Amino acid sequence: MAFLSASKPSHFHPRNLSNVSTPLSLKSLFFFCSSPGSNPDQETAPISPTESTGPETRNVDPAATPSRSPRGKHRRLQKNPEKLEDIICRMMANRAWTTRLQNSIRNLVPSFDHELVYNVLHGAKNSEHALQFFRWVERAGLFQHTRETHLKIIEILGRASKLNHARCILLDMPQKGVQWDEDMWVLLIESYGSAGIVQESVQLFQKMEELGVQRTIKTYDALFKVIMRRGRYGMAKRYFNKMLKEGIEPTRHTYNLMIWGFFLSSKVESAVRFFEEMKSREISPDVVTYNTMINGYCRVKNMEEAEKYFVEMKGRNLEPSVITYTTLIKGFLSAGGVDNALRFLEEMKKFGIKPNAITYSTLLPGLCDADKMSEADKILKEMVERHIAPNDDSIFTRLLSGQCKAGHLDAAADVLKAMIRLSIPTDAGHYGILIENFCKAGAYQRAVQLLDKLIEKEIILRPQTTLQMEPSAYNPVIEHLCNNGQTRKAELLLRQLMKMGVQDPVAFNNLIRGHSKEGTPESASELLTIMVRRKVVSEASAHVSLIESYLTKGEPADAKSVLDTMIENGHLPDSSLYRSVMESLFADGRVQTASRVMMTMLEKGVKEHMDLIAKILEALLLRGHVEEALGRIELLMQNGLAPNFDNLLSILCEKGKTIAALKLLDHCLQRDYSVDFSSYDKVLDGLLAAGKTLNAYSILCKITEKGGVTDKNSYEDLIKTLNAEGNTKQADILSRMIMASDSKKGKKQAAMA
């Protein structure tokens, strides 16, 4: 019975050769040396019967669909009526499999015939939809499955690795009155093999004998393909001998499979023995056989033997194919014979065999490894002329790196142009390789031109990007831009990189320095805030440049904030930076802020700039911030730095700040700081002149208790004033203190005499 296919016929394309019924596909011959699951090759192979063209599907009036559509869309559907099976497949894909959906399908379809059921199975969006539909039409009594629908669902489930379902469906077939045939078992054996479950494939093979299903060379070939792919060469030998005992003669395809499998397991002697046995049975090796032998010897890097079979192949009047030459090229490249690989490339062109994408994909990496970049450039230009793109896009990365390493920057730029002409997606990493090497060569203008394209097209932000730009690429160009007045452009690059998760401290610090240098400290400060929030390590020089930029713009308060951030981040400003910030704050009238900077400086152990410190203390006292000034004085004394108290007291008295002078003198007396006697008198005179008699009395008592000496006239004047103001008690106390003081002096002088 002929096979039925889906309404959409399969198209034969080199990329789909892995679906061909023979195990020897075009793609696998070349690559099976790197993948233990690949197969030997055939030059041509028929399309699988399950993919053959089937009958046309019917058209359905769109009015029969349960879903509503706008009137304009309805008219368009009438012009191009949708097929019934397509409507059902769309309904299954967009809705959950429920009784309601089943009723909708049943109302849509007048009757379920073989053609409709088969095409729905083929067109189902996924294997689960196909399995649900398959079981439903049978259980609902809408359709009795045939051999072809069973074969189709087994194929679908096998491809989706739902092998237990496929096995149950296969074993239940006789109960439904549908007889088995070999194709179904072969399909399931191959499906288990593709899933790597070799033992199940073997059990199915054995069960065929138990159930009386005839096994031909087709079944044995399927089994050999499965077990050889998994390296079970010993098992393959046993079943090969069993096959011969059963009287089943091996074919050329059988021997090709066995040879391929032995080479896959590096059993070269066994492969050669089967090759000779093949000839002894008068089965002529074909191109696939020789390709397999050549490929096998290339795997073990025995290029002498590989070339020997190539010569033998031509001696039998078998024309080498592109696969043959590609295999030899790859073999010589892996064995380090790049010149021989190029020789075979020229030979194949000479005989009119055009290299294909696999050939180029094999050759270019080998040329890069051998530093044959001039030859690689020629090959790439040839590919562009023929508009052939390699199978592996990573080849372009190697070409870019190789040309740059060789110093061929123009050729490297041509690689990027070739990618664009071949419609290969260009990633940020490709641009990065060129930008990095242009910067290394001092060709900054070319690097910036590439960067402009990168930023403008937002290539960094493409979601499909697989090759990101490396720090070694973007940091040099960012530094160049920041050093040449183009920090804004550099920031655009970093902003895009940040969206991709980049938090490079070198880039951030360069940008801060660049903005500071260009007089835009606000932008630099914004970046610094981001760094602090994201815990990106900052450099001291970046902070310094930002502080200096703020000072230049006359914004000392912002400079002080950056200074604080600098210290919080573990950097120690130098002495001159402290002075610059304090001077700027002081000049701006921000005395208290300057005082806080002074305190920070002292706490960090910087003991300089006493002239500026004296000015700050003086300003604090004159402005009435006495307690703050006294705190700073205490900090100075702890660091061994004594301010000029006499000068401060003198200035305060001259400026009429008698209360500030009083507090300062009181502080000095309490801590026994050295103050000149004349300063006592100045403070007392100032207090008396200001009418602050009691204050003068209080401080004079303290001076006396400390043994201080002042002009006796000061005592007498103060006593008179106290009596005049009615403070007789204080005057009396002061008089007695003077008398006691004179008595002590007399006794002391007598003792000394």
Side-chain angles (χ1 to χ4, degrees):
M1 184 180 292
F3 287 97
L4 293 175
S5 74
S7 58
K8 298 180 181 178
S10 300
H11 296 282
F12 187 79
H13 190 278
R15 292 184 182 272
N16 297 329
L17 285 179
S18 59
N19 296 327
V20 175
S21 60
T22 175
L24 307 175
S25 65
L26 174 66
K27 189 174 180 180
S28 59
L29 168 65
F30 178 63
F31 288 109
F32 80 86
C33 57
S34 60
S35 173
S38 52
N39 305 323
D41 226 327
Q42 283 191 340
E43 290 297 302
T44 59
I47 299 178
S48 172
T50 58
E51 297 181 356
S52 60
T53 305
E56 295 182 358
T57 54
R58 70 196 72 191
N59 295 331
V60 178
D61 187 349
T65 60
S67 59
R68 296 182 179 180
S69 61
R71 185 175 299 173
K73 186 176 180 181
H74 182 71
R75 286 199 295 266
R76 290 195 298 272
L77 287 175
Q78 286 181 332
K79 293 180 182 179
N80 299 294
E82 192 173 9
K83 296 171 184 176
L84 182 56
E85 51 266 33
D86 293 338
I87 296 173
I88 295 173
C89 290
R90 190 179 70 249
M91 291 169 64
M92 292 192 302
N94 296 332
R95 295 166 61 182
W97 185 262
T98 61
T99 304
R100 185 176 180 182
L101 174 59
Q102 296 168 11
N103 292 334
S104 298
I105 296 174
R106 187 177 293 189
N107 294 334
L108 179 66
V109 181
S111 64
F112 289 85
D113 58 18
H114 182 278
E115 179 184 341
L116 175 65
V117 172
Y118 185 92
N119 287 332
V120 170
L121 291 175
H122 180 82
K125 296 298 183 182
N126 60 54
S127 59
E128 188 63 30
H129 297 162
L131 180 60
Q132 289 169 336
F133 180 81
F134 178 88
R135 287 175 171 168
W136 172 65
V137 294
E138 183 178 48
R139 291 172 180 172
L142 301 174
F143 179 76
Q144 185 174 358
H145 286 295
T146 63
R147 172 196 177 277
E148 287 75 22
T149 55
H150 276 92
L151 187 65
K152 187 64 183 177
I153 193 64
I154 290 171
E155 176 193 350
I156 293 170
L157 295 174
R159 191 166 55 239
S161 296
K162 295 183 177 180
L163 302 173
N164 288 336
H165 290 297
R167 185 187 183 108
C168 291
I169 289 172
L170 176 65
L171 295 177
D172 289 344
M173 285 176 60
Q175 299 175 11
K176 303 174 186 177
V178 183
Q179 295 301 314
W180 289 311
D181 61 24
E182 187 181 17
D183 290 337
M184 298 176 179
W185 292 84
V186 167
L187 187 59
L188 196 53
I189 288 171
E190 290 177 340
S191 297
Y192 271 109
S194 297
I197 311 174
V198 178
Q199 196 58 38
E200 286 295 328
S201 296
V202 175
Q203 288 180 5
L204 285 171
F205 177 82
Q206 294 170 346
K207 200 166 189 66
M208 289 177 70
E209 185 176 15
E210 296 174 11
L211 298 175
V213 182
Q214 184 181 6
R215 297 182 305 199
T216 66
I217 190 63
K218 183 190 296 186
T219 307
Y220 273 99
D221 284 348
L223 182 66
F224 293 146
K225 175 184 174 183
V226 169
I227 59 182
M228 278 298 199
R229 181 190 289 140
R230 308 301 296 183
R232 307 287 183 84
Y233 57 89
M235 183 186 293
K237 285 182 181 180
R238 291 195 299 272
Y239 277 104
F240 188 85
N241 294 331
K242 178 179 175 60
M243 179 187 71
L244 296 178
K245 289 179 181 179
E246 292 177 1
I248 300 175
E249 290 294 325
T251 63
R252 180 186 294 112
H253 179 56
T254 308
Y255 277 107
N256 287 343
L257 274 171
M258 299 298 289
I259 294 169
W260 163 75
F262 285 124
F263 272 122
L264 200 63
S265 299
S266 299
K267 298 297 178 182
V268 178
E269 294 180 359
S270 297
V272 174
R273 188 165 63 251
F274 268 79
F275 178 75
E276 296 300 330
E277 181 182 324
M278 175 184 184
K279 291 192 290 186
S280 67
R281 285 179 176 269
E282 297 183 353
I283 300 175
S284 299
D286 60 359
V287 174
V288 175
T289 310
Y290 278 104
N291 283 348
T292 306
M293 294 296 294
I294 292 169
N295 195 39
Y297 277 109
C298 288
R299 281 177 58 86
V300 296
K301 298 184 179 180
N302 189 344
M303 298 311 300
E304 185 178 346
E305 285 295 317
E307 195 166 0
K308 185 187 81 172
Y309 280 98
F310 176 71
V311 173
E312 181 180 321
M313 174 184 182
K314 292 194 291 186
R316 286 177 172 265
N317 294 323
L318 293 173
E319 293 185 3
S321 65
V322 65
I323 296 173
T324 312
Y325 280 104
T326 301
T327 302
L328 284 165
I329 289 170
K330 181 175 183 180
F332 277 113
L333 288 173
S334 63
V338 63
D339 293 331
N340 283 323
L342 291 171
R343 173 170 60 87
F344 275 99
L345 177 68
E346 295 303 319
E347 181 179 320
M348 70 184 293
K349 292 179 182 178
K350 179 180 177 182
F351 288 110
I353 301 173
K354 294 182 178 180
N356 59 17
I358 298 176
T359 310
Y360 291 129
S361 300
T362 302
L363 189 58
L364 286 174
L367 293 175
C368 292
D369 291 339
D371 295 329
K372 298 273 187 180
M373 300 314 302
S374 298
E375 290 79 359
D377 185 44
K378 294 178 183 177
I379 295 295
L380 182 61
K381 290 178 179 177
E382 182 180 320
M383 292 172 66
V384 173
E385 286 179 12
R386 297 180 59 196
H387 204 76
I388 296 178
N391 296 338
D392 185 5
D393 294 347
S394 66
I395 289 173
F396 290 100
T397 306
R398 299 189 65 179
L399 283 171
L400 283 166
S401 300
Q403 295 290 12
C404 290
K405 181 181 177 182
H408 304 158
L409 296 183
D410 291 334
D414 290 340
V415 173
L416 195 63
K417 295 176 183 176
M419 293 180 69
I420 296 171
R421 291 188 60 184
L422 293 173
S423 302
I424 304 296
T426 52
D427 290 340
H430 297 124
Y431 284 85
I433 294 171
L434 281 173
I435 289 172
E436 177 183 353
N437 285 278
F438 280 142
C439 290
K440 286 181 179 178
Y444 288 104
Q445 188 60 36
R446 298 183 70 178
V448 173
Q449 289 173 355
L450 281 175
L451 183 64
D452 289 339
K453 294 180 182 178
L454 191 70
I455 296 173
E456 179 184 352
K457 297 179 180 179
E458 295 187 340
I459 296 174
I460 295 173
L461 303 179
R462 290 177 180 173
Q464 67 273 21
T465 296
T466 57
L467 186 64
Q468 295 293 344
M469 199 173 183
E470 296 295 328
S472 57
Y474 58 73
N475 276 330
V477 72
I478 286 176
E479 184 178 4
H480 170 76
L481 292 171
C482 293
N483 290 336
N484 290 273
Q486 300 183 71
T487 306
R488 181 61 58 188
K489 182 183 292 185
E491 185 176 348
L492 289 175
L493 172 61
L494 182 61
R495 292 281 183 179
Q496 291 187 6
L497 290 168
M498 287 166 60
K499 291 179 181 179
M500 302 306 293
V502 173
Q503 296 185 161
D504 191 282
V506 176
F508 272 106
N509 286 289
N510 277 328
L511 283 169
I512 290 173
R513 284 189 288 265
H515 278 305
S516 301
K517 182 180 178 181
E518 293 172 21
T520 54
E522 298 82 7
S523 299
S525 184
E526 182 181 349
L527 289 171
L528 183 60
T529 302
I530 294 173
M531 292 178 70
V532 172
R533 185 171 63 247
R534 298 187 179 185
K535 298 181 180 180
V536 180
V537 179
S538 62
E539 296 176 9
S541 60
H543 291 276
V544 172
S545 62
L546 181 53
I547 291 169
E548 291 174 348
S549 181
Y550 272 126
L551 293 177
T552 302
K553 290 192 70 175
E555 298 175 2
D558 292 322
K560 192 263 181 187
S561 298
V562 179
L563 182 68
D564 293 339
T565 304
M566 179 180 181
I567 296 170
E568 289 171 3
N569 280 270
H571 303 297
L572 292 177
D574 60 16
S575 174
S576 60
L577 189 64
Y578 281 117
R579 184 179 185 93
S580 298
V581 175
M582 287 191 295
E583 282 182 336
S584 184
L585 288 168
F586 189 82
D588 197 43
R590 301 174 182 271
V591 178
Q592 286 183 285
T593 308
S595 168
R596 288 193 287 273
V597 175
M598 179 187 77
M599 179 182 68
T600 303
M601 178 185 73
L602 294 171
E603 289 174 346
K604 295 298 179 182
V606 179
K607 301 178 181 181
E608 300 177 22
H609 316 303
M610 286 303 296
D611 58 329
L612 183 58
I613 290 173
K615 291 181 181 179
I616 294 172
L617 290 175
E618 177 185 327
L620 286 172
L621 291 167
L622 290 174
R623 293 189 178 197
H625 306 300
V626 179
E627 296 302 325
E628 183 176 345
L630 295 178
R632 302 294 182 260
I633 290 171
E634 192 65 25
L635 183 61
L636 284 166
M637 297 301 291
Q638 290 173 4
N639 283 272
L641 302 173
N644 190 333
F645 294 113
D646 297 312
N647 184 58
L648 288 172
L649 290 169
S650 177
I651 292 172
L652 290 173
C653 292
E654 290 174 5
K655 300 289 185 179
K657 301 295 182 179
T658 54
I659 297 299
L662 173 66
K663 291 181 179 180
L664 176 59
L665 182 58
D666 186 29
H667 185 80
C668 293
L669 289 171
Q670 289 178 6
R671 287 161 176 75
D672 294 326
Y673 295 155
S674 177
V675 178
D676 192 44
F677 298 138
S678 61
S679 298
Y680 297 159
D681 293 330
K682 288 180 181 178
V683 174
L684 288 171
D685 292 342
L687 289 170
L688 290 173
K692 297 182 172 75
T693 310
L694 291 177
N695 294 115
Y697 161 75
S698 175
I699 194 65
L700 185 58
C701 289
K702 291 179 181 179
I703 293 171
T704 305
E705 289 176 358
K706 293 291 183 179
V709 179
T710 62
D711 187 358
K712 199 168 185 179
N713 294 329
S714 299
Y715 286 97
E716 294 173 353
D717 292 341
L718 181 56
I719 290 170
K720 291 178 182 179
T721 304
L722 287 169
N723 285 320
E725 293 178 354
N727 297 314
T728 57
K729 182 178 180 180
Q730 286 82 357
D732 184 55
I733 292 171
L734 189 59
S735 298
R736 279 184 280 166
M737 289 180 66
I738 295 172
M739 292 174 61
S741 177
D742 290 341
S743 174
K744 288 180 181 179
K745 287 181 181 178
K747 291 179 180 180
K748 186 176 181 181
Q749 290 174 356
M752 290 177 64

